[in-house]
């Protein structure tokens, strides 16, 4: 009943064919399977079934897009060859805390060509002499065993890997379609560097000087206009006085 409720909660608002991650930890399997988990989860990329009392993988549905499979703390002792058929694109497999005892059981994982990380921590096989060297020699495709590579370098966390992939995608997006002006700035930096900034300052200074000269010239033009206007008014005044004198002169001539 608990298992059914868990799956119902996971899928309440989503159809199985749209689910990419599914966590069924602590549910209970029946006859080697979890009821409700079937091939309709065709887009599933991450599946966790930790501590579900799973004894076999024979009834695991075909999940061709599955990349990460968590099967820790179960009772699995063999039958790993079905993973190459059911989940051919697995890159990460966690079998820690199971009943795996010998190398022949692990040999069945050779057909998982994309497998990069395998976890067998707390399995009896880890007590074998030269366990790590033997597994790396048997499974040439893996990079990490129990969280470390052959040089004892720790594997990055899944979240860190996703962040790095996200950063790379962001960098590619910026390179392909950066904000307006970005390419111009990059080209300017490559061509001129700091010289461009000096050039811009000089342009700005020249522009300001030019504007100031224009303003001064405008003031001089205004002064010239005022002087011309004054000369015109003075000339008009002289002509008016002349007109006034002319009639007087005519009157004097008549009297003569």
């Amino acid at each position: 009943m608990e298992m059914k409720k868990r799956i119902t909660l996971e899928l309440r608002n989503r159809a199985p064919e749209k689910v990419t991650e599914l966590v069924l930890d602590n549910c209970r399997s029946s006859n080697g399977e979890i009821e409700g988990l079937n091939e309709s989860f065709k887009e599933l990329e991450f599946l966790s079934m930790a501590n579900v009392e799973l004894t076999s993988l024979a009834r695991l549905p075909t999940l061709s897009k599955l990349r990460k499979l968590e099967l820790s703390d179960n009772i699995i002792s063999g039958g790993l060859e079905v993973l190459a058929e059911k989940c051919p694109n697995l890159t990460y497999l966690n079998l820690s805390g199971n009943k795996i005892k010998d190398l022949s059981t692990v040999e069945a994982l050779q057909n998982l060509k994309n497998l990069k990380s395998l976890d067998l921590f707390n399995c009896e096989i880890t007590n074998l002499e030269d366990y790590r060297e033997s597994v790396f020699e048997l499974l040439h495709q893996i990079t990490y065993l129990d969280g470390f590579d052959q040089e004892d370098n720790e594997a990055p966390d899944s979240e860190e890997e996703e962040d790095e992939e996200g950063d790379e995608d962001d960098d590619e997006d910026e390179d392909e379609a950066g904000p307006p002006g970005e390419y111009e700035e990059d080209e300017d930096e490559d061509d001129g560097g700091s010289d461009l900034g000096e050039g811009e300052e000089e342009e700005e200074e020249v522009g300001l000087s030019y504007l100031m000269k224009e303003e001064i010239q405008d003031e001089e033009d205004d002064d010239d206009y005022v002087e011309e206007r004054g000369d015109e008014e003075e000339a008009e005044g002289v002509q008016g006085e002349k007109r006034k004198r002319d009639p007087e002169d005519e009157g004097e001539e008549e009297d003569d």
Side-chain angles (χ1 to χ4, degrees):
M1 182 64 69
E2 179 185 353
M3 170 267 298
K4 290 182 180 179
K5 287 182 179 178
R6 183 67 174 273
I7 293 181
T8 301
L9 287 174
E10 293 284 348
L11 305 180
R12 177 174 293 172
N13 298 316
R14 301 182 67 182
E17 61 272 14
K18 295 183 179 180
V19 176
T20 58
E21 297 185 7
L22 188 60
V23 178
L24 303 174
D25 297 351
N26 303 313
C27 296
R28 289 294 173 263
S29 62
S30 176
N31 297 322
E33 67 177 348
I34 291 181
E35 184 178 351
L37 180 62
N38 52 53
E39 294 181 0
S40 62
F41 293 87
K42 57 185 179 180
E43 297 295 324
L44 203 61
E45 297 180 4
F46 174 85
L47 174 61
S48 182
M49 295 189 294
N51 190 31
V52 298
E53 297 184 355
L54 198 62
T55 58
S56 170
L57 298 174
R59 296 192 177 185
L60 184 71
T62 298
L63 303 168
S64 59
K65 291 191 176 182
L66 195 68
R67 296 172 58 82
K68 296 183 179 182
L69 180 59
E70 291 270 1
L71 296 172
S72 60
D73 300 321
N74 284 290
I75 319 170
I76 299 169
S77 59
L80 301 183
E81 61 274 0
V82 302
L83 289 174
E85 177 188 351
K86 304 283 189 177
C87 312
N89 291 308
L90 275 185
T91 59
Y92 172 86
L93 177 61
N94 187 347
L95 291 167
S96 62
N98 279 276
K99 303 298 181 181
I100 299 172
K101 299 178 180 180
D102 50 53
L103 292 172
S104 61
T105 303
V106 175
E107 187 177 3
L109 299 176
Q110 286 180 333
N111 291 327
L112 284 172
K113 303 301 183 182
N114 296 315
L115 189 64
K116 299 301 179 185
S117 181
L118 174 65
D119 197 337
L120 297 171
F121 184 71
N122 274 347
C123 292
E124 290 186 40
I125 190 176
T126 60
N127 296 324
L128 295 178
E129 186 176 357
D130 298 326
Y131 150 69
R132 289 182 59 81
E133 291 80 0
S134 299
V135 173
F136 275 118
E137 184 177 351
L138 192 64
L139 303 176
H140 297 289
Q141 76 272 35
I142 67 171
T143 304
Y144 300 102
L145 176 62
D146 301 335
F148 294 87
D149 64 12
Q150 295 187 63
E151 285 74 35
D152 290 331
N153 296 312
E154 188 173 3
D157 293 337
S158 298
E159 292 182 358
E160 291 179 359
E161 287 180 345
E162 291 174 0
D163 290 342
E164 289 176 0
E165 291 176 0
D167 292 340
E168 290 176 1
D169 292 340
D170 292 341
D171 292 340
E172 290 177 2
D173 292 341
E174 289 177 0
D175 291 340
E176 292 174 1
E182 180 178 350
Y183 296 115
E184 295 177 2
E185 292 177 1
D186 292 342
E187 291 175 0
D188 292 343
E189 288 177 0
D190 293 338
D191 295 340
S194 60
D195 293 340
L196 178 61
E198 295 175 0
E200 288 177 350
E201 289 178 1
E202 289 177 1
E203 265 187 22
E204 186 178 358
E205 290 176 2
V206 170
L208 289 173
S209 301
Y210 180 75
L211 292 174
M212 291 176 66
K213 289 178 181 179
E214 277 198 341
E215 186 177 351
I216 294 170
Q217 185 63 42
D218 290 342
E219 291 178 357
E220 291 177 353
D221 292 343
D222 291 340
D223 293 340
D224 293 342
Y225 176 77
V226 171
E227 290 178 0
E228 290 176 1
R229 183 65 181 169
D231 293 342
E232 290 177 1
E233 290 178 354
E234 184 177 351
E236 289 176 359
V238 171
Q239 290 177 358
E241 291 179 0
K242 185 176 180 182
R243 290 192 189 97
K244 290 179 181 179
R245 286 198 301 270
D246 289 344
E248 291 177 358
D249 294 340
E250 291 176 359
E252 290 176 357
E253 291 176 359
E254 288 177 0
D255 292 340
D256 295 340

